[in-house]
């Protein structure tokens, strides 16, 4: 392509020429480390950035969503092998790569395989927490599967002896890394699971690289642990190491030392707890005795116990009180009735003829004893009787006179005057 300051080429033509030349390079397998991964929601393409592990070189890679998903779990920091084809973007003139295939390599490949195995076993229910077996508080015997003369064995044995000197250990030495390790661990697990006095089994190993811990992610060993009748404690590596055995075991310990602490109690702490429980029990019994003694004292101080005749005295007082109340009630009733009779008698006396006679009036009777109420009943010369308040008089009528139509009441008023 000819060019000069007087006759330059257009940028678009140059970028197009570079694009055509670059895309003739074809596809190439490349190994790199994923340092950035961008997943786009609802998109058919994702983006990742690869970096050379031995040089300061990085490149942007576009990858179809189906290719990324089929590669298994891919995360930042993982080493992968990609089938790339270089391409130039016409709008920006930038160089990038399109990925047609991606495969985890090295540690990334192992992690992808382990992740796939985890998903399969989890789908079968081997990690279900409801199926985990509980560890005994103080096992009669403890099974230990570990490497011969290993630091993990020393940690478990020393801590178990220190915490509970009387603990019984059934130790089985096996390989803890390499192709034969998983098979030997399974054989030892079967043997210990068949011993009736072994109530818990510890599988212990120190830390190591991912490849060294692969036997404890073996599918056969995982299924064997799931099938045991005896609770299994996994104590593999350090806190950050999580083989599949940790997920299927009935209890995961962060280290072999932690496994010993989980399996047996500390004798000193148990003695202290027993002492505390004894003190609490003693205080509870003393408090109970004090309460019952207080109740007995209250019962003994009751009047019915201090004075056997108290009940009779109480009843006698009640009867006397009732008797006095009855007497007061009868007396009050008699007083009220007496007052009523006196008032009635006074009213009757006020209306009686005798009371009228005592006021100066008299009752006239004829010879036959009939009351005389009119002058027409008597004639001159008739004999009459006059009854007064203090006796009677015998009278003779000398004259009869009439009122001549006057009101009798007026006559009586004149009489009163």
């Amino acid at each position: 392509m000819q060019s000069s300051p007087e006759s330059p080429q257009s940028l678009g033509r140059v970028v197009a020429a570079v694009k055509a030349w670059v895309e003739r390079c074809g596809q190439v397998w490349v190994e790199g480390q994923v340092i950035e991964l961008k997943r786009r929601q609802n998109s058919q393409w994702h983006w990742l950035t690869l970096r050379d592990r031995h040089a300061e070189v990085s490149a942007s890679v576009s990858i179809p969503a189906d290719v990324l998903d089929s590669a298994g779990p891919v995360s930042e920091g993982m080493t992968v092998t990609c089938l790339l084809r270089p391409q130039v973007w016409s709008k920006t003139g930038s160089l990038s790569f399109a990925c047609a295939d991606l495969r985890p390599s090295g540690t990334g490949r192992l992690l992808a395989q382990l992740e796939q195995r985890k998903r399969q076993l989890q789908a079968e229910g081997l990690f279900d927490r409801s199926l985990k077996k509980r560890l005994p508080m103080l096992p009669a015997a403890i099974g230990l599967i570990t490497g011969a003369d290993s630091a993990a064995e020393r940690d478990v044995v020393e801590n178990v002896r220190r915490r509970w000197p009387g603990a019984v250990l059934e130790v089985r030495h096996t390989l803890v890394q390499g192709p034969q390790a998983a098979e030997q661990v399974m054989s030892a697990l079967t043997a210990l699971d068949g011993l009736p006095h072994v109530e818990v089994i510890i599988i212990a190993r120190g830390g190591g690289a991912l490849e060294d811990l692969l036997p404890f992610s073996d599918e056969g060993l995982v299924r064997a642990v799931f099938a045991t009748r005896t609770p299994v404690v996994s104590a593999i590596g350090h806190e950050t190491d999580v083989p599949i055995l940790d997920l299927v075991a009935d209890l995961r310990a962060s280290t072999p030392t932690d496994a010993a602490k989980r399996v047996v109690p500390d004798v000193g702490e148990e003695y202290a707890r027993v002492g505390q429980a004894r003190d609490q029990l003693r205080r509870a019994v003393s408090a109970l005795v004090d309460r019952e003694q207080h109740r007995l004292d209250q019962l003994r101080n009751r009047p019915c116990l201090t004075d056997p005749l108290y009940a009779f005295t109480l009843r006698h007082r009640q009867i006397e009180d009732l008797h006095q109340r009855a007497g007061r009630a009868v007396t009050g009733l008699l007083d009220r009735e007496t007052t009523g009779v006196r008032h009635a008698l006074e009213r009757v006396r006020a209306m009686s003829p005798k009371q009228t006679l005592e006021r100066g009036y008299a009752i006239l009777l004829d010879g036959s004893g009939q009351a005389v109420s009119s002058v027409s009943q008597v004639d001159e010369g008739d004999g009459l009787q006059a009854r007064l308040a203090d006796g009677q008089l015998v009278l003779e009528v000398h004259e009869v006179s009439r009122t001549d139509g006057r009101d009798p009441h007026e006559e009586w008023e004149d009489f009163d005057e």
Side-chain angles (χ1 to χ4, degrees), residues 121 126 216-226 244-245 248:
L121 296 174
L126 270 67
F216 300 98
S217 294
D218 181 81
E219 183 176 352
L221 176 59
V222 171
R223 294 186 182 277
V225 170
F226 180 77
I244 299 180
L245 179 63
V248 73

Side-chain angles (χ1 to χ4, degrees), residues 152-215:
E153 180 182 8
R154 290 193 300 273
D155 290 344
V156 173
V157 173
E158 290 178 2
N159 281 278
V160 168
R161 299 295 188 195
R162 186 183 305 115
R163 293 174 64 83
W164 198 269
V168 178
L169 286 168
E170 292 283 348
V171 183
R172 297 293 184 272
H173 294 140
T174 65
L175 294 175
V176 291
Q177 70 182 56
Q180 304 299 323
E183 183 178 353
Q184 291 189 13
V185 172
M186 283 189 286
S187 298
L189 180 67
T190 303
L192 290 175
D193 190 42
L195 298 178
H197 63 287
V198 173
E199 297 183 350
V200 63
I201 300 173
I202 302 175
I203 302 177
R205 186 201 188 283
L210 176 63
E211 293 81 359
D212 297 336
L213 301 181
L214 283 179

Side-chain angles (χ1 to χ4, degrees), residues 42-43 45 51 53 79 106 130 134 136 155 192 200 225 234 261 279 287 295 309 326 341 373 375 383 392:
N42 303 322
S43 176
W45 290 86
R51 181 179 63 183
R53 295 189 300 167
T79 301
S130 63
R134 296 182 60 181
D155 290 344
L192 290 175
V200 63
V225 170
S234 175
K261 295 179 179 179
D279 294 339
R295 289 182 58 190
L309 299 178
V341 170
S373 59
V375 294
Q392 61 182 3

Side-chain angles (χ1 to χ4, degrees), residues 36-98:
E36 185 180 12
L37 176 60
K38 296 181 180 179
R39 297 179 181 268
R40 295 183 176 179
Q41 296 291 337
N42 303 322
S43 176
Q44 296 182 355
W45 290 86
H46 301 304
W47 294 87
L48 55 87
T49 302
L50 292 180
R51 181 179 63 183
D52 193 306
R53 295 189 300 167
H54 307 290
E56 292 296 327
V57 177
S58 62
S60 177
V61 178
S62 61
I63 180 172
D66 57 346
V67 174
L68 183 61
D69 294 338
S70 63
V74 178
S75 59
E76 296 177 356
M78 181 181 294
T79 301
V80 295
T81 301
C82 304
L83 181 60
L84 302 182
R85 179 175 56 83
Q87 59 184 6
V88 176
W89 292 92
S90 301
K91 291 183 178 181
T92 61
S94 61
L95 175 66
S96 67
F97 295 87

